[in-house]
Amino acid sequence: MVIMQLEDYGFCPVGEGGRFVAAGHIRYPNGSIPVNTHGGNLSEAYIIGMTHIREAVEQLRGTAVNQVAGAEVALVTGGPASSPVSGTLLGRSA
């Protein structure tokens, strides 16, 4: 799902997601776009997406356990899947 979302949101061209991930772009802390800094569905939990929103807020507040330096924007997504998908874009206030 992560690779499909990276392509769908335009972070890399369609069909290039695997190479984009293999090149380390989504790795914490030095990737160009760190993904699942709280462990995501594999290492944490999925409580109807609320843990992902909490992580985004903590990143923007600067209080996350795996803090991305200078985090200004967070994208929280659900899907793509057979069920409806969603996306929430959060940003720091000026």
Side-chain angles (χ1 to χ4, degrees):
M1 285 177 42
V2 172
I3 290 173
M4 291 170 63
Q5 289 176 339
L6 290 167
E7 293 175 354
D8 287 347
Y9 281 102
F11 292 109
C12 60
V14 173
E16 297 295 319
R19 284 188 206 89
F20 185 80
V21 170
H25 291 284
I26 69 169
R27 287 189 192 133
Y28 170 81
N30 299 318
S32 61
I33 179 171
V35 171
N36 287 335
T37 52
H38 66 314
N41 293 341
L42 298 176
S43 301
E44 195 197 35
Y46 186 76
I47 306 171
I48 312 173
M50 292 309 298
T51 54
H52 302 319
I53 293 170
R54 177 179 170 211
E55 174 67 11
V57 169
E58 289 177 350
Q59 285 290 341
L60 297 175
R61 287 181 176 169
T63 61
V65 173
N66 296 315
Q67 183 63 48
V68 174
E72 295 287 329
V73 176
L75 174 62
V76 182
T77 63
S82 57
S83 61
V85 299
S86 64
T88 302
L89 187 63
L90 303 170
R92 293 179 52 93
S93 61

